[in-house]
Amino acid sequence: MNGNNKYKFTAVVTGLFLTPFLILSSHFIYGESELQKKDTLRYLELRTTTGAGIISDVLNLNYSLSRIVGARAAAGAWAVKEELAGRVKANPFIYSELALLGPSGAELARFSAAKSVKSHLDYSKNRIFSEAKQTLSPAGAVEYGEYTPPALVLIEPLMKNGSGPVYYLAGRLSLAYVGEVVRLMGRNSYGNFGLVDIGGQVIADSMNMSIVKPGLKAPAEVIKLLSLAAERDTLNFASEVYFRNRVLLVSISNVGGSKWWIYEKMDSGDLPARKASSWAWRIVLSGILLIILFGAITCKLALYWFKGEATGR
C-alpha cells in the first residue's frame, strides 16, 4: 500500500465510524439541552409554588382584617374600634387606614396613620363594598400610586348573624412589606420574579420595574400563561413560551386565598445549566479523538497483516 492509499484508507475508516457517531452525538446534545430545560422548568415551578405559599401566609397573618380583630369582635363595636386604633398605632407601615362600617356602608369610625381629617365616608355605593355585601366574603382591589407603594383596599364582613353581617371592616393596607418579601425571594432569580394581581398588573418584582412604573402590566408571556391557566382551571402552570423568536421558560402559581399570582420567567438562552453541559461536549470530543486513533491503528494493523501475506508469512 503506497503512502496516498494509506492515508485514504485511514480517512475512509475514520469517516465510516464518525458519520453514525456524529449523528447520534447531535441527538445526545439536543436531548441533554431539552432535559436541562425540563429540569429548569420544574425548578421554577418549585420556586413559584413555594413563593405563593409564603405570600399566602403573609396575607393571612397581616392582611386579614377579621383576623386582626379576632375574638374582640364578640365584645362589640367599642372593642373593635379599640383594636383597630391599636393596630394603626402599632404598625402604620402596613395599616395606613382602618375603618368600621355599619350594615349599610356608613362609616362609624376611622383610624388613619396619616391623621386624616376627612369627614366620615359612605361606602354604600363603593364597588368593593357592594361585592363584599353580595358575596358575604372579603373583597378588595389594589391601588397604584405614582409616589407611594401599592395599597390593598379591602372590605370584610364582620359578626355575621341570621340576617347577615352587622358590621364591615374596611382598610387601606400598604403592600410595601409584601413587595420586600417578593424582592427577597427573587434575589437569586436568573430572570424576573414577581407578583401580579387579577388584572395582570405587577404588584412587586425582583427587577424593581413595578417601582419605576407603578401599575405596570406583566410581561406578555406571563399574561399568556395566566390565560392558559384560567382555561385549564389549574393553580400551577409551567411551560416554554415562544415569543419574538425567543424561547422563554415561565412558571406561575396562584397565591392561596386570593386572585394573585406569583410568576418567574427567564430566557432559555440564560440557562445556568448550559454552562454545566460542557461534560456532554467532552464526551463527544473524546469519542471523535478515539475514532481517529482507532482509524490510525486499523491502518497500521492492515499494513502489518497485508505485508505479512505479501511476503508469504
Side-chain angles (χ1 to χ4, degrees), residues 23 48 62 65 67 73 78 102 107 113 143 192 199 247 288 294:
I23 293 174
T48 54
N62 301 288
L65 298 182
R67 184 185 180 91
W78 67 270
E107 188 178 81
E143 288 187 352
N192 190 13
V247 180
I288 292 174
F294 291 157

Side-chain angles (χ1 to χ4, degrees), residues 26-44:
S26 65
H27 288 290
F28 173 68
I29 294 295
Y30 177 77
E32 187 268 343
S33 175
E34 289 301 304
L35 283 176
Q36 297 289 2
K37 286 183 182 180
K38 297 296 182 184
D39 289 343
T40 303
L41 274 176
R42 298 288 78 79
Y43 174 67
L44 295 182

Side-chain angles (χ1 to χ4, degrees), residues 154-206:
L154 185 65
I155 296 179
E156 293 187 24
L158 183 66
M159 299 169 61
K160 299 178 181 178
N161 56 25
S163 60
V166 292
Y167 294 113
Y168 288 87
L169 295 174
R172 183 182 301 276
L173 292 75
S174 172
L175 293 173
Y177 176 63
V178 173
E180 287 302 315
V181 174
V182 170
R183 283 184 280 275
L184 182 63
M185 290 189 294
R187 185 174 54 185
N188 297 322
S189 174
Y190 287 100
N192 190 13
F193 187 98
L195 174 68
V196 297
D197 63 17
I198 188 175
Q201 291 177 289
V202 180
I203 297 173
D205 68 303
S206 60

Side-chain angles (χ1 to χ4, degrees), residues 217-228:
K217 276 288 186 180
E221 54 272 18
V222 174
I223 298 293
K224 180 178 180 180
L225 220 61
L226 288 173
S227 63
L228 289 174

Side-chain angles (χ1 to χ4, degrees), residues 105-177:
E107 188 178 81
L108 304 179
R110 174 158 29 98
F111 307 94
S112 175
K115 306 300 180 185
S116 174
V117 294
K118 293 180 181 178
S119 59
H120 286 187
L121 303 176
D122 187 353
Y123 289 76
S124 59
K125 296 182 180 179
N126 184 284
R127 179 186 62 81
I128 301 174
F129 176 78
S130 299
E131 183 180 344
K133 188 173 183 179
Q134 182 179 0
T135 61
L136 296 180
S137 61
V142 179
E143 288 187 352
Y144 299 88
E146 189 173 354
Y147 303 107
T148 58
L152 174 62
V153 179
L154 185 65
I155 296 179
E156 293 187 24
L158 183 66
M159 299 169 61
K160 299 178 181 178
N161 56 25
S163 60
V166 292
Y167 294 113
Y168 288 87
L169 295 174
R172 183 182 301 276
L173 292 75
S174 172
L175 293 173
Y177 176 63

Side-chain angles (χ1 to χ4, degrees), residues 19 109 246 269 307 309 312:
T19 301
R246 294 158 56 207
K307 184 178 181 181
E309 289 181 359

